[in-house]
């Protein structure tokens, strides 16, 4: 199930492929000349398409998260139930402590999963959302630890740095896919070359994007450790460790085939090739790092 990082990457791929299709249909391929490929022009084209995809995905991240998850944003100026008021006060308290000048939107979505995520195009336009399952299943200290982790993501500007990295990856994806598509088109009849190049560029865009996600996911795992450390500074190391241990306990109770807590990406252990595509590190590793933190 795609949340924060997964949703961002999915939208990024869709936007980038769409831009690539439109530019191809409009004949915006000045990098292809009678002598072959103009690599300088292709690099500029790749950068424009690549960063456009990443930036549009970032701009849509908060809206897409609300829509896909059915997040009900809490109106701080409206009538509030006790749990909504407590949630707002805790998020705002952590946000001020983290140095945020504009308070993030706070929302709840209906789901039995124990889950939380933060997203948004900037620190001043961010969203912190928690599942109803998290509020029901976790104690007050554990909830505070989870919220502190999400606030740390916002304070660290992780979505922006992720976007810049994704833009660079996208640039290489577009660059390499166009070269491979051009080479593929040289092996067919001249009248079929444009069609083959068009289709091949889409296929290579998707293939290289998946491979490029390995780099993005590695960076995401690194930023999770940083968010854990930031949360420990905001709310105390013991409370953050307690939050992770509570989440681990929840994971151990779910069915073997569904051993994850989606957006917080809690895992009971990931090994092998698939671990390269994990956006979050193993829970035990995260707990260990916090325990060793001074």
């Amino acid at each position: 199930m795609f949340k924060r990082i997964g949703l961002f990457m999915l939208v990024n791929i869709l936007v980038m492929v769409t831009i690539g299709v439109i530019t191809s249909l409009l004949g915006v391929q000045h990098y292809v000349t009678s002598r072959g490929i103009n690599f300088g022009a292709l690099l500029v084209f790749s950068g424009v398409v690549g960063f456009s995809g990443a930036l549009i995905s970032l701009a849509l991240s908060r809206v897409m998260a609300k829509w896909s998850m059915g997040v009900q944003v809490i109106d701080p100026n409206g009538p509030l139930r006790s749990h909504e008021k407590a949630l707002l006060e805790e998020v705002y308290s952590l946000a001020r402590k983290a140095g945020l000048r504009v308070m993030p939107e706070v929302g709840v979505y209906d789901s039995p999963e124990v889950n939380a995520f933060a997203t948004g195009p900037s620190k001043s336009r961010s969203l912190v959302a928690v599942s109803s399952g998290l509020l029901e299943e976790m104690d007050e200290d554990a909830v505070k630890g989870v919220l502190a982790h999400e606030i740390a993501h916002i304070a660290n500007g992780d979505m922006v740095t992720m976007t810049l990295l994704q833009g660079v990856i996208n640039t290489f994806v577009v660059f390499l896919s166009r070269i491979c598509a051009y080479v593929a088109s040289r092996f067919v009849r001249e009248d079929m070359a444009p069609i083959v190049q068009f289709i091949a560029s889409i296929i290579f865009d998707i293939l290289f994007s998946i491979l490029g996600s390995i780099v993005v996911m590695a960076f995401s795992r690194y930023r999770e450790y940083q968010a854990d450390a930031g949360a420990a500074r905001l709310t105390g190391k013991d409370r953050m460790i307690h939050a992770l241990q509570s989440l681990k306990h929840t994971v151990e109770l779910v069915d073997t085939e569904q051993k994850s807590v989606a957006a917080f990406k809690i895992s009971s252990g990931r090994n092998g090739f698939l671990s390269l595509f994990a956006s979050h590190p193993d829970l035990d590793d995260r707990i260990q790092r916090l325990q060793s933190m001074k």
Side-chain angles (χ1 to χ4, degrees):
M1 192 174 187
F2 287 98
K3 307 272 175 28
R4 196 163 59 86
I5 302 301
L7 183 63
F8 169 79
M9 293 188 66
L10 177 61
V11 174
N12 169 74
I13 292 174
L14 292 175
V15 170
M16 190 173 65
V17 170
T18 301
I19 293 174
V21 169
I22 292 173
T23 54
S24 295
L25 292 175
L26 294 177
V28 185
Q29 299 183 32
H30 301 304
Y31 55 85
V32 178
T33 68
S34 58
R35 296 181 180 180
I37 294 180
N38 181 326
F39 290 100
L42 175 58
L43 184 59
V44 172
F45 173 81
S46 300
V48 171
V49 173
F51 276 91
S52 294
L55 291 171
I56 291 173
S57 301
L58 178 66
L60 294 175
S61 60
R62 188 170 60 164
V63 174
M64 289 298 296
K66 292 178 186 177
W67 173 76
S68 64
M69 299 300 299
V71 176
Q72 299 297 313
V73 176
I74 300 171
D75 182 2
N77 299 316
L80 299 175
R81 288 173 287 184
S82 58
H83 73 277
E84 292 175 331
K85 182 178 180 181
L87 182 61
L88 272 179
E89 289 177 350
E90 187 59 41
V91 171
Y92 287 180
S93 174
L94 289 167
R96 284 190 287 268
K97 195 172 181 180
L100 297 182
R101 296 182 179 180
V102 178
M103 295 298 101
E105 287 187 326
V106 182
V108 179
Y109 65 96
D110 186 28
S111 174
E113 66 181 7
V114 178
N115 190 19
F117 66 90
T119 191
S122 67
K123 294 181 182 181
S124 60
R125 296 178 59 204
S126 59
L127 166 71
V128 174
V130 300
S131 69
S132 56
L134 182 141
L135 296 176
E136 292 167 3
E137 298 295 330
M138 299 187 73
D139 62 44
E140 185 177 342
D141 279 347
V143 171
K144 286 182 179 179
V146 172
L147 292 175
H149 175 95
E150 301 306 336
I151 289 295
H153 273 306
I154 297 171
N156 292 342
D158 284 340
M159 286 302 291
V160 174
T161 54
M162 181 71 72
T163 300
L164 295 176
L165 175 62
Q166 188 68 67
V168 173
I169 297 296
N170 286 353
T171 299
F172 281 103
V173 165
V174 176
F175 187 81
L176 293 175
S177 67
R178 295 309 182 275
I179 292 176
C180 291
Y182 176 80
V183 171
S185 70
R186 299 302 94 185
F187 289 94
V188 298
R189 298 195 314 268
E190 188 173 345
D191 61 321
M192 291 293 295
I195 298 176
V196 170
Q197 187 172 343
F198 173 72
I199 296 174
S201 65
I202 296 175
I203 294 173
F204 283 122
D205 273 344
I206 296 172
L207 176 61
F208 289 145
S209 290
I210 293 172
L211 293 176
S213 68
I214 294 175
V215 177
V216 178
M217 291 297 110
F219 179 77
S220 175
R221 291 193 296 273
Y222 168 73
R223 296 311 304 169
E224 288 304 314
Y225 288 127
Q226 299 304 307
D228 285 345
R233 288 190 288 271
L234 285 174
T235 195
K237 184 172 75 171
D238 290 341
R239 183 173 284 162
M240 188 59 209
I241 290 174
H242 171 63
L244 294 177
Q245 289 173 334
S246 298
L247 288 162
K248 181 182 177 182
H249 176 68
T250 301
V251 169
E252 292 171 346
L253 293 178
V254 301
D255 186 81
T256 304
E257 295 179 356
Q258 299 176 342
K259 285 189 176 180
S260 67
V261 180
F264 208 57
K265 282 297 177 190
I266 305 307
S267 169
S268 59
R270 297 177 189 173
N271 300 303
F273 179 72
L274 289 180
S275 65
L276 296 175
F277 295 93
S279 63
H280 289 54
D282 180 73
L283 252 181
D284 288 328
D285 291 341
R286 295 169 66 180
I287 293 171
Q288 255 185 351
R289 287 213 180 192
L290 280 175
Q291 289 173 336
S292 63
M293 188 179 81
K294 295 182 180 179

